[in-house]
Amino acid sequence: MEKAGIAGYGAYIPRFRIKVEEIARAWGRDAEALKKSLCVNEKAVPGIDEDTATMAVEAGRKALAAAGMPGESIGALFIGSESHPYAVKPTATVVAESLRLSRGLFSADLEFACKAGTSAMQIVYSMVRSGMIKAGVAIGSDVAQANPNDALECTASAGSAALVLGSENLLAELDATCSFATDTPDFWRRQEQPYPKHGGQFTGKPAYYRHVSECTQRMLQLTDSGPQDFDHVIFHQPNGKFPVEAAKMLGFTEKQLEKGLLVRQIGNCYSASSLIGLCSVLDQAGPGERILMVSYGSGAGADGFAFRTTSLLAGKRPVPSVSQMMSDNLQYLKYEKYIMNTRR
Amino acid sequence: MLAAQEQQRSSTFSEGEKVPARTWRNMPSFYNLTGSRCNGCSHLEFPKAAACRKCGSQDLSEHSFSGTGKIETYTIIRQPFNEEGMAEQLVCSSPYAIAIVRLDEGPMITAQLADCEAGEIAIGKPVKAVLRKISEGGDDGLIRYGYKFVLA
């Protein structure tokens, strides 16, 4: 079996932001109470003409350029999202055409709430390891929807991340991956409904915490490691509280978590959330460092990945970096403009 | 376009088929700025030409532009245009900026400047092409994607 891992990565975060204070102002709510309960200060908002496909193209172009690979060398493209622009007609073909990927492409759109991007990684990874393809692209991309005046409106954001997975010129090797899933009804959106519903408090203990911790423990067993053996850890970030609590529960330190914890400034980019965290860690990690990533998707499941960076990482970093996209050229929107941009 | 060709095309496609057909035909130029390069004199053109504007040669090959360039000139449009009954609704809100961009490879291209406010735009500023939604025919229509430019 082939060795496999990350040959290139790229993240995209739109330049627009809205502060929790501005959302609270529009609805006459207590901003400080919202910020305290969610541990989120502001979130990324798409441009009026951006969607899951356009953001996936931005991230995909960056990842291919960082990998130094032409589109024709890519044998598979899987895109995870819960906001695919069409109910029927693939996001993957729009993105493949824009990235000029090979015509013999294995491709499909995936949905598994916030973890569909990591499901895409597992599919592409197994295709590379089986020798079916030399390299493939996995993307998590979302323009998250939230019912106006729901607490979710303060976190549901927009972003995209793409990974080129292959077996050569790896900037990080993928040592192991596993999943944990059960039927847990914490969050859902029915067909043709614009906004999701959720189980409030129920989204915590039986949903997020259970699946993330089961998956993390399986990863530690699988890699014969303890929490202290990893340099960095990334958990799915639906708000600023859950990943911090999960890290504490599972024996990871704040220092291991900090480089990939972005939710306070960009919100929850759903399928792109843990992946943008991973991109941020890769932007900053040294060679030979170990990274644990555990995603979470409502409904419910978690995917775990253990990476080991290589000496090639420093030479394959995309520009702008995640931290540049979080600090440069930001434009803060009023609530009215935010509604125009996110109306679908 | 020759009248005969246009007539042939309209008889091939019904009204309802025109948008998908046109969208599909334009994808290389709309998605990847694919124009043409003259194999005789190396002249580059966007959009794709049938014959070289410089030397007249019909021996052309496809050339995709890098998408980087500078603002040659621009205008701010304050008139909202998504009137009721328009077949294809453009995805943007007024005011919006339209620029003539000079690509680094030479040709000029007219396109919307996305993600920016009037005060940020200036002649000579560097820009880069991005893929954005151009139009959508209401809630049930086809989404057309294509190039716009953002400040680099």
Side-chain angles (χ1 to χ4, degrees):
Chain A
M1 291 226 277
E2 303 273 345
K3 193 164 68 179
I6 304 172
Y9 69 96
Y12 174 75
I13 309 168
R15 76 176 291 203
F16 301 108
R17 297 286 183 280
I18 188 166
K19 287 183 184 289
V20 168
E21 280 90 346
E22 178 59 16
I23 296 172
R25 181 200 60 80
W27 293 107
R29 293 180 71 163
D30 180 349
E32 289 312 311
L34 277 170
K35 282 163 72 173
K36 206 174 153 213
S37 76
L38 297 167
C39 300
V40 169
N41 299 323
E42 56 194 60
K43 67 169 189 174
V45 179
I48 193 167
D49 50 6
E50 291 189 290
D51 68 9
T52 290
T54 65
M55 295 195 306
V57 169
E58 284 295 317
R61 282 178 177 162
K62 275 175 86 173
L64 283 176
M69 293 169 76
E72 312 88 77
S73 62
I74 298 301
L77 171 68
F78 289 86
I79 302 183
S81 180
E82 57 180 83
S83 55
H84 289 292
Y86 291 93
V88 178
K89 189 187 178 303
T91 307
T93 51
V94 176
V95 176
E97 200 75 37
S98 302
L99 301 180
R100 286 188 279 194
L101 306 187
S102 81
R103 299 286 180 183
L105 195 72
F106 297 105
S107 66
D109 293 357
L110 307 176
E111 188 278 316
F112 194 142
C114 295
K115 87 160 186 73
T118 53
S119 302
M121 285 172 65
Q122 290 175 329
I123 294 173
V124 176
Y125 171 68
S126 49
M127 285 184 158
V128 172
R129 285 203 71 186
S130 70
M132 229 171 134
I133 57 169
K134 286 233 179 298
V137 176
I139 298 180
S141 186
D142 253 310
V143 174
Q145 308 298 306
N147 211 343
N149 202 13
D150 187 318
L152 197 64
E153 194 181 22
C154 296
T155 58
S157 72
S160 184
L163 297 178
V164 179
L165 300 175
S167 56
E168 287 171 5
N169 299 317
L170 303 180
L171 56 87
E173 289 169 11
L174 209 176
D175 289 338
T177 179
C178 78
S179 289
F180 179 81
T182 71
D183 187 353
T184 304
D186 59 331
F187 179 103
W188 62 91
R189 179 164 67 83
R190 293 282 299 275
Q191 293 284 0
E192 292 169 28
Q193 291 302 308
Y195 304 119
K197 293 197 135 189
H198 56 82
Q201 296 291 320
F202 186 70
T203 59
K205 206 172 167 192
Y208 181 90
Y209 291 116
R210 178 182 177 206
H211 293 78
V212 165
S213 70
E214 286 277 359
C215 188
T216 303
Q217 273 150 8
R218 274 156 202 252
M219 281 306 299
L220 294 177
Q221 269 175 15
L222 204 58
T223 55
D224 198 18
S225 310
Q228 70 286 351
D229 295 326
F230 287 91
D231 298 280
H232 310 280
V233 64
I234 302 131
F235 295 116
H236 172 55
Q237 302 162 25
N239 53 53
K241 197 178 260 178
F242 282 16
V244 173
E245 285 298 315
K248 213 179 284 173
M249 253 166 55
L250 292 159
F252 294 90
T253 63
E254 274 180 34
K255 196 168 181 303
Q256 285 168 296
L257 196 63
E258 70 182 3
K259 288 188 169 60
L261 188 67
L262 316 173
V263 60
R264 295 181 190 118
Q265 286 151 279
I266 64 170
N268 175 9
C269 316
Y270 284 31
S271 300
S273 171
S274 49
L275 288 179
I276 297 181
L278 174 64
C279 293
S280 173
V281 167
L282 291 172
D283 278 346
Q284 302 170 68
E289 294 192 352
R290 293 184 65 195
I291 303 167
L292 179 70
M293 172 172 80
V294 179
S295 67
Y296 172 73
S298 289
D303 299 331
F305 300 83
F307 299 101
R308 198 180 297 262
T309 61
T310 74
S311 57
L312 294 183
L313 173 58
K316 293 183 109 178
R317 292 197 168 118
V319 180
S321 67
V322 172
S323 105
Q324 283 170 322
M325 286 184 290
M326 286 171 63
S327 60
D328 298 354
N329 299 316
L330 300 184
Q331 198 172 330
Y332 286 88
L333 301 182
K334 287 277 173 209
Y335 189 80
E336 297 77 8
K337 185 77 169 83
Y338 155 75
I339 286 291
M340 283 164 72
N341 280 18
T342 51
R343 176 192 61 89
R344 287 289 177 268
Chain B
M1 174 93 40
L2 293 169
Q5 269 182 335
E6 185 57 72
Q7 203 174 11
Q8 192 187 10
R9 209 160 255 170
S10 44
S11 63
T12 311
F13 293 113
S14 72
E15 267 321 298
E17 290 165 340
K18 277 181 186 167
V19 171
R22 191 171 68 236
T23 302
W24 175 77
R25 201 164 53 236
N26 285 333
M27 276 176 188
S29 62
F30 273 43
Y31 286 14
N32 283 309
L33 292 175
T34 302
S36 49
R37 166 192 284 278
C38 174
N39 292 329
C41 71
S42 301
H43 183 64
L44 296 171
E45 281 190 52
F46 185 88
K48 220 156 128 178
C52 177
R53 221 179 281 267
K54 209 170 159 195
C55 75
S57 166
Q58 290 184 23
D59 179 19
L60 306 175
S61 44
E62 286 192 347
H63 176 86
S64 289
F65 291 88
S66 64
T68 53
K70 287 193 167 66
I71 298 173
E72 189 82 6
T73 186
Y74 69 97
T75 186
I76 307 290
I77 297 174
R78 294 172 196 281
Q79 178 93 1
F81 48 60
N82 282 339
E83 304 286 334
E84 284 292 318
M86 266 181 71
E88 284 186 88
Q89 291 157 340
L90 295 181
V91 184
C92 80
S93 63
S94 60
Y96 62 99
I98 296 289
I100 295 177
V101 170
R102 184 175 292 281
L103 297 171
D104 288 343
E105 297 95 328
M108 291 200 286
I109 181 168
T110 303
Q112 190 190 328
L113 293 178
D115 285 6
C116 54
E117 300 205 320
E120 298 177 292
I121 306 168
I123 288 172
K125 272 200 175 179
V127 290
K128 65 164 188 156
V130 291
L131 188 81
R132 291 296 170 94
K133 289 201 280 186
I134 302 288
S135 67
E136 49 191 4
D139 289 340
D140 60 355
L142 192 65
I143 302 167
R144 274 208 299 151
Y145 295 96
Y147 57 83
K148 294 185 182 181
F149 285 80
V150 296
L151 298 174

